[in-house]
Short mmCIF file of all heavy atoms in Angstrom, two decimals:
data_model
loop_
_atom_site.label_atom_id
_atom_site.label_comp_id
_atom_site.label_asym_id
_atom_site.label_seq_id
_atom_site.Cartn_x
_atom_site.Cartn_y
_atom_site.Cartn_z
N SER A 46 179.03 -40.19 170.77
CA SER A 46 179.18 -40.87 172.07
C SER A 46 180.59 -40.66 172.63
O SER A 46 180.77 -40.43 173.84
CB SER A 46 178.88 -42.36 171.93
OG SER A 46 177.52 -42.55 171.58
N ALA A 47 181.59 -40.72 171.75
CA ALA A 47 182.97 -40.50 172.19
C ALA A 47 183.16 -39.07 172.67
O ALA A 47 183.85 -38.81 173.67
CB ALA A 47 183.93 -40.81 171.05
N ALA A 48 182.53 -38.12 171.95
CA ALA A 48 182.64 -36.72 172.37
C ALA A 48 181.97 -36.51 173.72
O ALA A 48 182.47 -35.75 174.56
CB ALA A 48 182.01 -35.82 171.30
N LEU A 49 180.83 -37.15 173.94
CA LEU A 49 180.15 -37.04 175.23
C LEU A 49 181.02 -37.60 176.36
O LEU A 49 181.09 -37.01 177.45
CB LEU A 49 178.81 -37.78 175.18
CG LEU A 49 178.02 -37.84 176.49
CD1 LEU A 49 177.76 -36.43 177.03
CD2 LEU A 49 176.70 -38.59 176.28
N ALA A 50 181.71 -38.69 176.09
CA ALA A 50 182.60 -39.27 177.10
C ALA A 50 183.71 -38.28 177.45
O ALA A 50 184.08 -38.12 178.63
CB ALA A 50 183.18 -40.58 176.59
N ARG A 51 184.24 -37.59 176.44
CA ARG A 51 185.30 -36.60 176.70
C ARG A 51 184.75 -35.41 177.49
O ARG A 51 185.41 -34.89 178.39
CB ARG A 51 185.89 -36.12 175.38
CG ARG A 51 186.69 -37.19 174.63
CD ARG A 51 187.14 -36.68 173.27
NE ARG A 51 187.98 -35.48 173.39
CZ ARG A 51 188.28 -34.68 172.38
NH1 ARG A 51 187.77 -34.92 171.18
NH2 ARG A 51 189.06 -33.63 172.57
N LEU A 52 183.52 -35.00 177.18
CA LEU A 52 182.90 -33.90 177.92
C LEU A 52 182.71 -34.27 179.39
O LEU A 52 182.98 -33.47 180.29
CB LEU A 52 181.55 -33.55 177.28
CG LEU A 52 181.57 -32.67 176.04
CD1 LEU A 52 180.23 -32.71 175.32
CD2 LEU A 52 181.92 -31.22 176.41
N ARG A 53 182.24 -35.49 179.65
CA ARG A 53 182.02 -35.94 181.02
C ARG A 53 183.32 -35.94 181.81
O ARG A 53 183.38 -35.52 182.97
CB ARG A 53 181.41 -37.33 181.02
CG ARG A 53 179.93 -37.35 180.66
CD ARG A 53 179.41 -38.74 180.37
NE ARG A 53 177.94 -38.78 180.33
CZ ARG A 53 177.24 -39.77 179.82
NH1 ARG A 53 177.87 -40.83 179.28
NH2 ARG A 53 175.92 -39.72 179.84
N GLN A 54 184.39 -36.39 181.14
CA GLN A 54 185.69 -36.45 181.81
C GLN A 54 186.22 -35.05 182.08
O GLN A 54 186.73 -34.76 183.16
CB GLN A 54 186.66 -37.25 180.97
CG GLN A 54 188.04 -37.40 181.61
CD GLN A 54 188.99 -38.23 180.77
OE1 GLN A 54 188.67 -38.59 179.65
NE2 GLN A 54 190.15 -38.55 181.32
N THR A 55 186.10 -34.17 181.08
CA THR A 55 186.65 -32.82 181.21
C THR A 55 185.89 -32.00 182.23
O THR A 55 186.48 -31.29 183.05
CB THR A 55 186.64 -32.10 179.84
OG1 THR A 55 187.40 -32.85 178.89
CG2 THR A 55 187.20 -30.70 179.96
N LEU A 56 184.54 -32.07 182.17
CA LEU A 56 183.71 -31.24 183.05
C LEU A 56 183.43 -31.92 184.38
O LEU A 56 182.81 -31.32 185.28
CB LEU A 56 182.39 -30.91 182.35
CG LEU A 56 182.53 -30.11 181.04
CD1 LEU A 56 181.17 -29.87 180.41
CD2 LEU A 56 183.23 -28.78 181.30
N GLN A 57 183.85 -33.20 184.50
CA GLN A 57 183.69 -33.96 185.75
C GLN A 57 182.23 -33.96 186.22
O GLN A 57 181.91 -33.69 187.37
CB GLN A 57 184.61 -33.40 186.84
CG GLN A 57 186.08 -33.49 186.48
CD GLN A 57 186.99 -32.95 187.58
OE1 GLN A 57 186.52 -32.45 188.59
NE2 GLN A 57 188.29 -33.07 187.37
N ASN A 58 181.35 -34.27 185.23
CA ASN A 58 179.92 -34.35 185.51
C ASN A 58 179.32 -35.30 184.48
O ASN A 58 179.73 -35.27 183.31
CB ASN A 58 179.28 -32.96 185.39
CG ASN A 58 177.83 -32.95 185.84
OD1 ASN A 58 176.93 -33.31 185.07
ND2 ASN A 58 177.60 -32.55 187.09
N PRO A 59 178.34 -36.12 184.87
CA PRO A 59 177.74 -37.05 183.89
C PRO A 59 176.99 -36.35 182.76
O PRO A 59 176.79 -36.93 181.69
CB PRO A 59 176.80 -37.90 184.75
CG PRO A 59 176.55 -37.11 185.98
CD PRO A 59 177.81 -36.33 186.22
N LEU A 60 176.52 -35.14 183.00
CA LEU A 60 175.85 -34.30 182.01
C LEU A 60 174.48 -34.83 181.59
O LEU A 60 173.51 -34.08 181.46
CB LEU A 60 176.73 -34.08 180.76
CG LEU A 60 178.04 -33.34 181.02
CD1 LEU A 60 178.87 -33.28 179.73
CD2 LEU A 60 177.80 -31.94 181.54
N PHE A 61 174.39 -36.14 181.33
CA PHE A 61 173.11 -36.75 180.92
C PHE A 61 172.96 -38.10 181.61
O PHE A 61 173.93 -38.81 181.86
CB PHE A 61 173.07 -36.96 179.39
CG PHE A 61 173.13 -35.68 178.59
CD1 PHE A 61 174.36 -35.17 178.18
CD2 PHE A 61 171.98 -34.99 178.26
CE1 PHE A 61 174.42 -34.00 177.46
CE2 PHE A 61 172.03 -33.82 177.53
CZ PHE A 61 173.26 -33.31 177.12
N VAL A 62 171.72 -38.45 181.89
CA VAL A 62 171.41 -39.79 182.38
C VAL A 62 170.42 -40.40 181.41
O VAL A 62 169.57 -39.71 180.84
CB VAL A 62 170.83 -39.77 183.81
CG1 VAL A 62 171.87 -39.28 184.80
CG2 VAL A 62 169.58 -38.90 183.88
#
Side-chain angles (χ1 to χ4, degrees):
S46 295
L49 176 56
R51 292 175 60 194
L52 279 165
R53 284 168 167 164
Q54 181 179 8
T55 301
L56 299 178
Q57 298 181 357
N58 187 278
L60 297 176
F61 296 91
V62 294

